[in-house]
């Protein structure tokens, strides 16, 4: 979620809607190795620890609020860990100044002060307790299943580089009007990888129609929610596209029957992968390399993504009579 200079909200706090539904569809016709999921719980624990450090550093009773002396800290019995006033941060979290100090995504600091590390650090920060809980529940629903099936290395790569891709796109289009924090870009990357994994391994899945309809429904709903104010939908889209492409590169499965090749005659040996899988792998890898090079070059040259796409701002927020998008 993106936030203006006066609030501390984070990237997409509704990213988990319906993730668990997909796990009931698309059961494969093959036996597969199951990994013990430890990476996802570790990431969850790390995000909780980082949030505790945020609140310790924030110290609302001592530092107060920019809203003035009449704005009381929330849950004051927590003392140093109490939250900023609800008018400042309705998600029960720290101030924008604390988030910026700890590594929130800030275009000016990334481009002009050479703090590129913020493209990664913002993934681990959350704007509030509500933001943290929703994102971590989403991570459990989608991440555990993927790690069980594909292992921690591939899922870890997709998670981190999808979060990075979401940060880059967010910085290109939101620029210096907002700071942004949250794991939603990485979570949308995992969701995108689920879609490409289904396409990549299409021939070895049963219940194809139910699987793809359910997954597309989940994707559309979550991206549509992202056009509401304060949600950083550019991070969602960037993370989703990055994860979608990485799914083709990292999540290909051997064809049905390949594992039993030793039991077949030499003349009937099945290939490990089909030709369309090799084609998708090569195309996705090329698009990833070109996308990263072009977007990072534009970012560090200070280019504004909106200059080449005047309608793209509506992908992040659609103004209505009930809200404005520049607040």
């Amino acid at each position: 979620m993106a936030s203006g200079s006066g609030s501390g909200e984070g990237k997409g706090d509704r990213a988990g809607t319906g993730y668990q539904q997909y796990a009931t569809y698309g059961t494969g016709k093959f036996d597969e190795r199951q990994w013990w999921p430890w990476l996802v719980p570790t990431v969850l624990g790390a995000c909780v620890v980082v949030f505790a450090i945020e609140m310790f550093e924030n110290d609302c009773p001592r530092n107060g609020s920019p809203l003035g002396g009449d704005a009381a800290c929330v849950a004051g019995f927590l003392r140093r860990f109490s939250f900023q006033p609800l008018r400042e941060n309705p998600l029960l979290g720290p101030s924008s100044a604390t988030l910026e100090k700890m590594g929130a995504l800030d275009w000016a600091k990334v481009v002009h002060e050479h703090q590129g590390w913020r493209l990664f650090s913002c993934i681990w920060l959350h704007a509030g307790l509500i933001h943290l809980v929703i994102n971590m529940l989403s991570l459990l629903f989608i991440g555990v299943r993927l790690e069980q099936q594909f292992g921690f290395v591939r899922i870890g790569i997709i998670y981190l580089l999808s979060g990075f891709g979401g940060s880059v796109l967010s910085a290109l289009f939101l620029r210096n009007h907002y700071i942004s924090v949250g794991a939603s870009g990485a979570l949308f990357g995992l969701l995108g990888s689920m879609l490409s994994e289904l396409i990549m391994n299409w021939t070895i899945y049963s219940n194809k129609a139910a699987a793809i309809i359910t997954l597309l429904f989940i994707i559309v709903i979550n991206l549509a929610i992202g056009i509401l104010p304060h949600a950083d939908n550019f991070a969602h889209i960037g993370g989703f596209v990055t994860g979608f492409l990485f799914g083709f590169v990292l999540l290909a499965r051997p064809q049905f029957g390949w594992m039993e090749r030793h039991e077949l005659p030499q003349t009937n040996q099945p290939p490990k992968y089909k030709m369309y899988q090799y084609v998708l792998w090569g195309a996705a890898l090329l698009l990833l390399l070109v996308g990263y090079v072009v977007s990072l070059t534009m970012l560090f040259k200070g280019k504004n993504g909106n200059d080449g796409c005047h309608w793209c701002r509506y992908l992040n927020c659609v103004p209505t009579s009930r809200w404005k998008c520049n607040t």
Side-chain angles (χ1 to χ4, degrees):
M1 193 178 225
S3 68
S5 58
S7 71
E9 299 175 61
K11 293 179 184 174
D13 50 358
R14 306 177 185 89
T17 306
Y19 280 157
Q20 68 275 28
Q21 298 175 18
Y22 175 73
T24 62
Y25 296 104
T27 304
K29 301 182 291 185
F30 49 90
D31 294 326
E32 58 181 296
R33 176 184 175 185
Q34 293 286 313
W35 278 266
W36 179 261
W38 65 266
L39 178 66
V40 168
T42 301
V43 170
L44 187 152
C47 288
V48 171
V49 170
V50 169
F51 182 72
I53 296 173
E54 288 178 37
M55 298 312 304
F56 180 84
E57 184 67 27
N58 187 66
D59 195 0
C60 180
R62 179 179 180 181
N63 297 322
S65 168
L67 299 180
D70 60 335
C73 302
V74 178
F77 63 90
L78 295 175
R79 298 181 181 275
R80 184 165 186 150
F81 292 91
S82 59
F83 309 115
Q84 293 297 114
L86 291 179
R87 284 188 295 159
E88 180 185 352
N89 187 345
L91 295 179
L92 300 178
S95 66
S96 290
T98 298
L99 291 171
E100 188 171 358
K101 178 181 178 181
M102 292 194 63
L105 180 61
D106 184 321
W107 177 85
K109 292 185 180 298
V110 170
V111 175
H112 297 305
E113 299 182 25
H114 310 291
Q115 297 180 7
W117 51 270
R118 289 179 179 269
L119 296 168
F120 279 107
S121 63
C122 66
I123 302 170
W124 302 94
L125 300 172
H126 285 84
L129 182 62
I130 297 173
H131 186 208
L132 175 71
V133 169
I134 293 177
N135 270 355
M136 293 304 98
L137 288 176
S138 302
L139 177 62
L140 286 176
F141 283 137
I142 184 173
V144 168
R145 173 186 174 272
L146 285 172
E147 188 180 352
Q148 285 176 332
Q149 293 191 0
F150 295 100
F152 73 93
V153 174
R154 285 181 282 183
I155 299 309
I157 291 172
I158 292 173
Y159 183 85
L160 287 175
L161 294 184
S162 295
F164 177 73
S167 297
V168 171
L169 193 68
S170 176
L172 275 173
F173 283 92
L174 294 184
R175 290 173 65 83
N176 56 344
H177 300 294
Y178 303 89
I179 63 171
S180 189
V181 295
S184 294
L187 294 172
F188 270 83
L190 294 181
L191 183 59
S193 71
M194 291 174 70
L195 179 60
S196 55
E197 187 267 327
L198 177 61
I199 296 171
M200 189 70 159
N201 305 309
W202 185 256
T203 61
I204 57 179
Y205 271 102
S206 58
N207 301 323
K208 297 179 177 68
I212 199 155
I213 290 172
T214 301
L215 189 53
L216 287 174
F217 176 77
I218 294 169
I219 292 167
V220 170
I221 290 297
N222 279 279
L223 289 176
I225 290 174
I227 64 175
L228 296 174
H230 302 297
D232 185 355
N233 216 26
F234 287 122
H236 300 170
I237 295 170
F240 176 83
V241 172
T242 304
F244 180 71
L245 293 175
F246 266 113
F248 288 120
V249 176
L250 296 177
L251 303 185
R253 299 180 188 268
Q255 291 302 300
F256 180 68
W258 184 80
M259 298 298 294
E260 293 79 24
R261 65 192 184 282
H262 299 298
E263 303 173 7
L264 299 174
Q266 191 68 28
T267 55
N268 293 329
Q269 292 291 310
K272 185 173 183 179
Y273 299 108
K274 288 187 175 293
M275 181 56 66
Y276 81 90
Q277 290 178 296
Y278 286 110
V279 172
L280 289 172
W281 183 89
L285 184 60
L286 179 62
L287 287 173
L288 278 169
L289 292 174
V290 172
Y292 272 128
V293 170
V294 171
S295 59
L296 287 172
T297 300
M298 290 178 61
L299 175 61
F300 288 105
K301 284 187 174 182
K303 301 292 185 181
N304 188 341
N306 295 287
D307 291 341
C309 182
H310 298 292
W311 57 268
C312 284
R313 65 183 183 274
Y314 296 115
L315 294 175
N316 188 60
C317 180
V318 177
T320 69
S321 59
R322 300 180 65 90
W323 63 69
K324 296 181 180 180
C325 292
N326 59 349
T327 58

